[in-house]
Amino acid sequence: MENRFAFARDLVYQAGAYLLDHQDHCFKVETKSGPTDLVTQLDQEVQDFLVERILARYPQDGILAEEKGLRHQIDQGPVWIIDPIDGTTNFVTQRRDYAIMLAYFEDGVGQFGIIYDVSRGEIYHGGGRFDVYCNEKKLPPFQNKPLSDFLLAANAGMLESNHWGVADLAKETLGVRVYGSAGISFSKVLSGQLLTYLSYIWPWDYAAAAVMGEKLGYCLLTFDGERPDFQTRQGVIMLPKEKISEFKNYIKKED
Amino acid sequence: MENRFAFARDLVYQAGAYLLDHQDHCFKVETKSGPTDLVTQLDQEVQDFLVERILARYPQDGILAEEKGLRHQIDQGPVWIIDPIDGTTNFVTQRRDYAIMLAYFEDGVGQFGIIYDVSRGEIYHGGGRFDVYCNEKKLPPFQNKPLSDFLLAANAGMLESNHWGVADLAKETLGVRVYGSAGISFSKVLSGQLLTYLSYIWPWDYAAAAVMGEKLGYCLLTFDGERPDFQTRQGVIMLPKEKISEFKNYIKKED
């Protein structure tokens, strides 16, 4: 597993270097599910880069990835979960607050996760049998404090409509932030900068964070309190295990 | 004026270095107007640092600053406007997304402004007779594109309540971000990463951005379409002058 982990980190660094090299050139931007759901030529190139190298080294492994419909089941053997650019809209308009994410599972059990905040040069990596680091700095487990000492991050739409009670929870805290990237938001939870992150996202958006979070005292749950299905888009929350009972006063499934 | 501008930039760099040196030490955090309005010992130390050095060099000048009630009128002679740490909650919980801001006015006319995003090491400076730069890179004026090609940033509370029609405007764009710092948000407008920023803020939160924005084709207005008063907390918006008529369809003063 050490070899796979080192291979994966090296690959993600290379993919980040590729993005930094190409981000100031002209590239094609298209829409997917709607006018605000962007995908670029670089999303596809970075995914191809990662998939090709993973399969060259581990030809039997499965791939679950954002672009091009690669949908290997998470519980079937060794599976790599790839988000080539998380926060594509930020990437297109700002060249910052976007992440490359990679996770590795065996028979449904997370072995390690990686979130690379390319514009800040910060790589979060670990989980499973590995401690979690931001670059060379080992991250401590969740440190309990009152809700009122924390910021949280959420999806803007959920906040506007107080969906699942997100705005009610936010009122108990120092406030809410909206970064437009699951990877960036989760990395701030893992490093203690945020209490929690709530959004309506896909498996490649949460897989890496779920594996690292587990190691640091967090759990990733749907708003029903279940493990996410690693197949569909779901409303999920990453929260400290110690805070589950407190959160239940605010976060409620809607009928 | 060149001497004052060079002096000011050097001072802001020094203040940033002070914060970086002291941010990992223990410091006192208190609340001001309410439980989520934080101020730290370092806000006060950085303001003292700036005020002392400005008055040592320019003993006749006035000071308008966030802490300690320094409230020189903007239209009376030479005035320095200081926000020692903008985004104090981000500073306390994240050590990032905070800014030191300094602006200089003469008889109510902005001469230059500085926003220093300390954690990213990016200093935005210029306005008046000076071109606007981010570090060594000269910023181009606003480049017109459809609303649907831009992100915007706003205050979370305004968004939740659709105050002044902010949420309606956001629906015409790629989406909304909430960074928790006026300085960080304005710096992203100045560099073309965001279309606009709307919030309910004080003169030290908007003075530097107003001066730099003017040079790049933006204007800073209250929701009544007036120039802000540089005295009280007001709802303000920095927007491209070319977009004023389009914005009027969405941004409305409430009764």
Side-chain angles (χ1 to χ4, degrees):
Chain A
M1 194 59 64
E2 280 78 4
N3 286 342
R4 281 181 180 263
F5 186 35
F7 164 75
R9 270 182 315 205
D10 189 46
L11 209 52
V12 169
Y13 269 127
Q14 289 177 42
Y18 183 89
L19 276 180
L20 292 172
D21 279 350
H22 289 76
Q23 68 180 11
D24 294 327
H25 302 169
C26 205
F27 55 82
K28 201 164 31 168
V29 181
E30 297 174 309
T31 58
K32 292 195 288 187
S33 63
T36 64
D37 184 15
L38 305 184
V39 62
T40 75
Q41 180 189 343
L42 293 175
D43 293 71
Q44 287 157 1
E45 287 172 14
V46 168
Q47 180 170 314
D48 290 347
F49 175 92
L50 295 171
V51 171
E52 280 165 20
R53 280 157 184 78
I54 289 168
L55 293 183
R57 178 144 169 178
Y58 302 108
Q60 310 302 321
D61 289 9
I63 304 280
L64 171 59
E66 178 167 19
E67 314 301 337
K68 301 188 175 177
L70 300 176
R71 296 289 184 273
H72 195 92
Q73 294 283 316
I74 190 80
D75 55 355
Q76 293 175 10
V79 188
W80 298 81
I81 306 177
I82 300 172
D83 192 343
I85 304 180
D86 175 74
T88 300
T89 302
N90 290 345
F91 177 74
V92 169
T93 59
Q94 308 191 325
R95 305 289 190 275
R96 55 185 64 187
D97 284 347
Y98 65 91
I100 300 171
M101 294 199 277
L102 184 59
Y104 177 67
F105 280 64
E106 289 185 349
D107 297 321
V109 180
Q111 305 296 318
F112 55 78
I114 300 170
I115 299 175
Y116 184 19
D117 175 350
V118 179
S119 80
R120 282 210 188 254
E122 290 182 346
I123 189 163
Y124 293 77
H125 55 93
R129 73 182 67 172
F130 305 104
D131 287 326
V132 181
Y133 284 78
C134 172
N135 292 345
E136 310 303 316
K137 189 180 162 202
K138 185 176 164 184
L139 298 180
F142 172 70
Q143 319 272 313
N144 205 357
K145 289 185 288 188
L147 294 185
S148 58
D149 283 359
F150 286 103
L151 290 169
L152 59 83
N155 169 292
M158 291 172 64
L159 191 66
E160 284 173 49
S161 57
N162 192 23
H163 208 64
W164 313 94
V166 171
D168 297 333
L169 174 65
K171 284 187 181 58
E172 303 301 313
T173 70
L174 284 171
V176 66
R177 301 290 179 259
V178 178
Y179 297 113
S181 157
I184 297 302
S185 304
F186 281 131
S187 73
K188 289 174 187 274
V189 176
L190 296 170
S191 52
Q193 298 178 56
L194 297 171
L195 174 64
T196 183
Y197 171 60
L198 311 94
S199 194
Y200 192 63
I201 51 181
W202 293 94
W204 43 84
D205 294 318
Y206 59 71
V211 183
M212 287 189 276
E214 179 71 30
K215 191 83 182 181
L216 296 174
Y218 295 89
C219 54
L220 188 84
L221 298 173
T222 68
F223 294 136
D224 296 323
E226 307 289 328
R227 190 190 194 221
D229 65 15
F230 284 85
Q231 292 189 38
T232 63
R233 191 171 182 227
Q234 291 177 288
V236 302
I237 174 170
M238 190 157 88
L239 76 169
K241 287 176 189 166
E242 290 182 64
K243 292 291 194 192
I244 289 178
S245 60
E246 259 180 287
F247 272 52
K248 282 184 180 162
N249 299 326
Y250 305 100
I251 300 299
K252 294 188 170 70
K253 181 170 166 54
E254 297 184 354
D255 298 322
Chain B
M1 195 59 64
E2 281 76 5
N3 287 343
R4 281 183 180 262
F5 187 34
F7 164 76
R9 269 181 315 200
D10 189 46
L11 208 52
V12 170
Y13 269 126
Q14 289 177 41
Y18 184 88
L19 275 181
L20 291 172
D21 279 350
H22 290 76
Q23 67 179 12
D24 294 328
H25 302 168
C26 206
F27 57 82
K28 201 164 26 165
V29 181
E30 296 174 310
T31 57
K32 292 195 288 189
S33 63
T36 65
D37 184 16
L38 305 184
V39 63
T40 75
Q41 178 190 343
L42 293 174
D43 293 70
Q44 288 157 1
E45 287 172 15
V46 169
Q47 179 169 312
D48 290 347
F49 175 92
L50 295 170
V51 170
E52 281 166 18
R53 279 157 185 78
I54 289 168
L55 293 182
R57 178 144 169 178
Y58 302 108
Q60 311 301 321
D61 289 7
I63 304 280
L64 171 58
E66 177 167 20
E67 314 301 338
K68 301 187 175 177
L70 301 176
R71 297 286 184 274
H72 195 91
Q73 295 282 317
I74 191 80
D75 55 355
Q76 293 176 9
V79 188
W80 298 81
I81 306 177
I82 299 172
D83 192 344
I85 304 181
D86 175 73
T88 300
T89 302
N90 290 345
F91 177 75
V92 169
T93 59
Q94 308 191 328
R95 305 288 192 273
R96 56 184 64 189
D97 285 347
Y98 64 93
I100 300 171
M101 293 198 280
L102 184 59
Y104 176 67
F105 280 63
E106 288 185 350
D107 296 323
V109 180
Q111 306 295 319
F112 56 77
I114 300 170
I115 300 176
Y116 185 18
D117 175 351
V118 180
S119 80
R120 282 208 187 256
E122 290 181 347
I123 189 161
Y124 292 78
H125 54 95
R129 73 181 67 168
F130 305 105
D131 287 325
V132 181
Y133 284 79
C134 171
N135 293 346
E136 309 304 315
K137 189 181 162 200
K138 185 176 165 187
L139 298 180
F142 172 69
Q143 319 274 310
N144 205 356
K145 287 184 290 185
L147 294 185
S148 58
D149 283 359
F150 285 103
L151 289 169
L152 59 82
N155 169 293
M158 291 172 66
L159 192 66
E160 283 174 50
S161 57
N162 192 23
H163 208 64
W164 312 93
V166 171
D168 298 333
L169 175 64
K171 283 185 182 58
E172 302 301 311
T173 70
L174 284 171
V176 65
R177 301 290 179 261
V178 178
Y179 298 113
S181 156
I184 297 300
S185 305
F186 281 130
S187 73
K188 289 174 189 274
V189 176
L190 296 170
S191 52
Q193 298 178 53
L194 296 171
L195 173 64
T196 184
Y197 171 60
L198 311 95
S199 194
Y200 192 61
I201 51 182
W202 292 95
W204 42 85
D205 295 317
Y206 60 70
V211 184
M212 288 189 274
E214 180 70 30
K215 191 84 182 179
L216 296 174
Y218 296 87
C219 55
L220 188 86
L221 298 173
T222 67
F223 294 135
D224 297 324
E226 306 289 328
R227 189 188 196 224
D229 65 14
F230 285 84
Q231 294 190 37
T232 62
R233 191 172 182 226
Q234 291 178 288
V236 302
I237 175 170
M238 189 158 88
L239 76 171
K241 287 176 188 166
E242 290 183 63
K243 292 290 193 193
I244 290 179
S245 60
E246 259 180 286
F247 271 54
K248 282 184 178 162
N249 299 325
Y250 305 101
I251 300 299
K252 296 187 170 69
K253 180 169 163 60
E254 297 184 355
D255 297 322

